[in-house]
Amino acid sequence: MPRWLDLFGLPVINLLLALIVSGLIVLAIGANPFAAIRAMGVGAFGDLYGIGYTLYYATNFIFTGLAVAIAFHAGLFNIGGEGQAYIGGLGAGLVALAFDHSLTMWPMIALGIAASALFGAGWAFVPAYLQAKRGSHIVITTIMFNFLAAALMVYLLVNVFRIPGSMEVVSRDFDASAGVPYVHELIGRIGIEMPTTPLNLAFLWALICCGLVWVYLWRSRGGYELRTAGLSPKAAQYAGISPNRVTIEAMLISGALAGCVGFNEILGNHRQLVLDFVAGAGFTGIAVALMGRNHPVGIILASLLFGALFQGGSEVAFEIPTITRDMIVVMQGLVILFSGALAYVNRPLLERAWRLYQSRRQSRPTPVVAPVSPAAAPDAPVVLAQETVTKAALPAPEVPAALPKPQPAPAPAPVSTPAPAAEPLEVVEAEIVTMGPDTGPAKAPDKLPWLQRSERAPADAASAGEAAAPAVAEPAGTDPAPKKKRGPKKSKRKPGEA
């Protein structure tokens, strides 16, 4: 199966199957599935308000999808994106609470990005160390650390950061300098009106992270070591790469990317510490990475799809009362199921269909056009019959009458050369002479025995027959020697005849 079919064809088929199953569920509750899909598309991309929310959700999915992809390339399964995003948001909130009165916006943005990445990487370091040094499974430890992060955030917001005298479990609001600029505010300065949405410049930082991940994985030595250790830890160790070191590095990068979700949510949207701001983005990132084939470009496209599902689902629940918010969650779960857990179930069927298409394409007879026979002109190139007919249909070019015909140049006078004298030949009949065992090997004639030059005298041929070697007496008791045969017969032709 070609690579383009694996990267694009298989995810599209999985998405279509998820939509078909979702449509059957919508049809079972008495609603029109086509109207639901249309309402979802209009709610996600119909206006600037829907586009803003779609890109805002897609920002979180890009961060978590990249985090899961980095771990996948290292042979790890990071399910701790939820907890790492929680702690990353905690780091961004701590920086904002500490420096929002003393720093301006851009230094606060830089500190917020660094704090969220460092806190997320620090939270992922403990499971990575346990996996590399103690053999603990990364899936178990990262799942448990999700609950630890949630419990830690509840404790801090209730006992440390809660506003005194308030029953709301949130921190105080940050100053304006600690907030990431909204996109609707930025494009409003250039005359483009856009409704208020939580989309902020963290989306631009997510796209930059995609480029950095691509450069790291496929254009750096560290990325090569990471992919090598993920494909074969034993081969990597034989090549001098430490799998334990790669495990820790991959989880640190993965945790830093997941922690940037907190930068988007805490500094970009809420601008205060709140509970449950991740909202399942860490688990959705697993499906995003699987659907995007762990490549940054595919992750961007899959994040836009899931962002459209989240935003469009809210619009469907508002437009069609029969479809509740729980039904939207079911539809999103089906897309995650077919794109994540069942991502490769349809691969054998797709490969079989591709082989069938290739075999039918190769067995299709190709039209053959009979060429013109080259018997009339062997040296002329062979052309197709259709080309010959086309050339024959064209009118022959006319020669202008005013042009005089070229006169042939006079042939040079023949030079008289003396004719070579005829060389008469004489045919001589000869017979094979069998020599005795003691006479020695016979010499092979230099020329054919029946072609001799006529310059030789007739006596030479006669003398050749008469000069036969005398017979040698055989000892008693041995077989008699073979009879001596006559030499070549004398030609009956007169001398000088050819």
Side-chain angles (χ1 to χ4, degrees):
M1 193 167 63
R3 182 172 175 80
W4 64 267
L5 195 59
D6 183 33
L7 294 179
F8 298 101
L10 191 59
V12 170
I13 291 176
N14 294 332
L15 177 61
L16 289 177
L17 290 176
L19 292 179
I20 289 173
V21 176
S22 302
L24 293 177
I25 295 176
V26 172
L27 188 63
I29 64 175
N32 187 357
F34 297 100
I37 292 176
R38 181 181 178 278
M40 184 175 294
V42 172
F45 301 103
D47 52 6
L48 292 179
Y49 180 83
I51 292 175
Y53 269 94
T54 299
L55 296 181
Y56 162 70
Y57 292 129
T59 303
N60 292 336
F61 300 147
I62 289 175
F63 285 131
T64 55
L66 291 176
V68 175
I70 286 286
F72 273 160
H73 281 292
L76 306 171
F77 195 17
N78 182 18
I79 314 183
E82 288 276 321
Q84 294 152 17
Y86 251 132
I87 302 302
L90 174 62
L94 290 177
V95 168
L97 291 174
F99 300 104
D100 59 347
H101 295 295
S102 57
L103 295 178
T104 58
M105 181 179 64
W106 294 109
M108 280 300 306
I109 290 176
L111 281 178
I113 292 175
S116 59
L118 287 175
F119 272 66
W123 194 252
F125 172 76
V126 180
Y129 180 82
L130 294 176
Q131 165 82 14
K133 302 297 183 180
R134 295 292 182 263
S136 302
H137 203 283
I138 197 72
V139 174
I140 304 300
T141 53
T142 51
I143 288 177
M144 298 306 297
F145 268 66
N146 289 338
F147 294 100
L148 292 177
L152 179 62
M153 286 292 294
V154 170
Y155 173 81
L156 292 176
L157 284 176
V158 170
N159 297 284
V160 178
F161 299 114
R162 186 164 61 95
I163 303 172
S166 174
M167 297 299 295
E168 192 176 5
V169 187
V170 293
S171 69
R172 66 172 178 86
D173 293 335
F174 305 147
D175 286 349
S177 61
V180 181
Y182 290 111
V183 173
H184 64 85
E185 295 177 351
L186 294 177
I187 66 174
R189 298 175 184 176
I190 59 177
I192 300 176
E193 294 295 332
M194 181 179 178
T196 301
T197 61
L199 179 63
N200 54 79
L201 289 184
F203 177 71
L204 180 61
W205 172 240
L207 297 181
I208 294 174
C209 287
C210 288
L212 294 177
V213 167
W214 181 82
V215 171
Y216 173 74
L217 285 178
W218 286 280
R219 291 295 183 273
S220 70
R221 179 177 177 178
Y224 177 78
E225 293 179 350
L226 186 145
R227 290 184 290 116
T228 304
L231 291 174
S232 178
K234 292 183 178 180
Q237 189 172 7
Y238 181 79
I241 302 171
S242 174
N244 295 336
R245 176 178 58 84
V246 169
T247 298
I248 295 177
E249 289 180 359
M251 286 300 296
L252 288 178
I253 298 173
S254 179
L257 290 169
C260 290
V261 175
F263 169 75
N264 178 44
E265 290 288 340
I266 298 301
L267 296 186
N269 180 26
H270 299 286
R271 302 193 177 188
Q272 60 179 178
L273 283 174
V274 297
L275 288 176
D276 199 21
F277 59 86
V278 182
F283 296 111
T284 308
I286 300 174
V288 168
L290 290 174
M291 184 173 246
R293 294 295 181 270
N294 299 319
H295 194 280
V297 177
I299 288 173
I300 292 174
L301 297 177
S303 300
L304 291 176
L305 170 64
F306 280 93
L309 289 175
F310 272 70
Q311 171 57 24
S314 302
E315 191 68 22
V316 170
F318 179 77
E319 293 289 337
I320 305 176
T322 319
I323 303 177
T324 61
R325 181 63 185 172
D326 296 332
M327 289 297 303
I328 300 303
V329 174
V330 170
M331 296 173 65
Q332 295 170 356
L334 286 172
V335 174
I336 293 175
L337 175 66
F338 279 92
S339 302
L342 305 179
Y344 294 98
V345 171
N346 298 314
R347 184 185 178 91
L349 297 176
L350 189 60
E351 290 178 350
R352 193 176 308 165
W354 177 257
R355 286 196 300 266
L356 180 62
Y357 167 74
Q358 289 292 329
S359 61
R360 288 186 177 182
R361 184 179 179 182
Q362 293 175 1
S363 62
R364 186 180 304 169
T366 56
V368 178
V369 182
V372 177
S373 175
D379 297 334
V382 179
V383 295
L384 298 178
Q386 184 178 359
E387 184 180 355
T388 307
V389 173
T390 306
K391 291 184 177 180
L394 296 176
E398 298 180 359
V399 180
L403 294 177
K405 295 183 178 179
Q407 297 296 330
V415 181
S416 59
T417 56
E423 185 176 1
L425 299 177
E426 180 183 1
V427 180
V428 179
E429 297 178 2
E431 293 183 3
I432 300 175
V433 179
T434 305
M435 307 299 294
D438 298 333
T439 56
K443 269 190 176 181
D446 294 337
K447 297 182 181 180
L448 296 177
W450 55 86
L451 295 178
Q452 301 293 338
R453 293 184 179 273
S454 60
E455 289 86 359
R456 297 179 181 176
D460 297 339
S463 60
E466 295 174 358
V472 181
E474 296 288 335
T478 59
D479 294 337
K483 295 181 180 181
K484 182 179 65 175
K485 295 186 179 181
R486 295 179 298 173
K489 295 181 179 181
K490 181 179 180 183
S491 177
K492 297 181 180 180
R493 291 183 177 84
K494 297 178 180 181
E497 291 182 352

Coordinates of all heavy atoms in Angstrom, one line a residue, residues 435-441 472-475:
M435 N 48.2 -43.8 -43.5 CA 49.6 -44.1 -43.2 C 49.7 -45.1 -42.1 O 48.7 -45.3 -41.4 CB 50.3 -42.8 -42.7 CG 50.2 -41.6 -43.6 SD 50.9 -41.9 -45.3 CE 52.6 -42.1 -44.8
G436 N 50.8 -45.8 -42.1 CA 51.0 -46.9 -41.1 C 51.3 -46.3 -39.8 O 51.5 -45.1 -39.6
P437 N 51.3 -47.1 -38.7 CA 51.5 -46.6 -37.4 C 52.9 -46.1 -37.2 O 53.1 -45.3 -36.3 CB 51.3 -47.8 -36.5 CG 51.5 -49.0 -37.3 CD 51.1 -48.6 -38.7
D438 N 53.9 -46.5 -37.9 CA 55.3 -46.1 -37.7 C 55.7 -45.0 -38.7 O 56.9 -44.6 -38.7 CB 56.3 -47.3 -37.8 CG 56.0 -48.3 -36.8 OD1 55.4 -47.9 -35.7 OD2 56.3 -49.5 -37.1
T439 N 54.9 -44.5 -39.5 CA 55.2 -43.5 -40.5 C 55.2 -42.1 -39.9 O 55.6 -41.2 -40.6 CB 54.4 -43.6 -41.7 OG1 53.0 -43.5 -41.3 CG2 54.6 -45.0 -42.4
G440 N 54.6 -41.9 -38.7 CA 54.5 -40.6 -38.2 C 53.2 -39.9 -38.6 O 52.5 -40.3 -39.5
P441 N 52.9 -38.8 -37.9 CA 51.6 -38.1 -38.2 C 51.7 -37.4 -39.6 O 52.8 -36.9 -40.0 CB 51.5 -37.1 -37.1 CG 52.9 -36.9 -36.6 CD 53.6 -38.2 -36.8
V472 N 56.9 -50.6 -44.4 CA 57.8 -51.1 -43.4 C 57.3 -52.4 -43.0 O 56.1 -52.7 -42.8 CB 57.8 -50.1 -42.1 CG1 58.7 -50.6 -41.1 CG2 58.1 -48.7 -42.6
A473 N 58.3 -53.4 -42.8 CA 57.9 -54.7 -42.5 C 57.4 -54.8 -41.1 O 58.1 -54.3 -40.2 CB 59.1 -55.7 -42.7
E474 N 56.3 -55.5 -40.9 CA 55.8 -55.7 -39.6 C 56.4 -56.9 -38.9 O 56.7 -57.9 -39.6 CB 54.3 -55.9 -39.7 CG 53.6 -54.6 -40.2 CD 53.6 -53.5 -39.3 OE1 53.7 -53.8 -38.0 OE2 53.5 -52.3 -39.7
P475 N 56.6 -56.9 -37.6 CA 57.1 -58.1 -36.9 C 56.0 -59.2 -37.0 O 54.8 -59.0 -37.1 CB 57.3 -57.5 -35.5 CG 56.5 -56.4 -35.4 CD 56.4 -55.7 -36.7

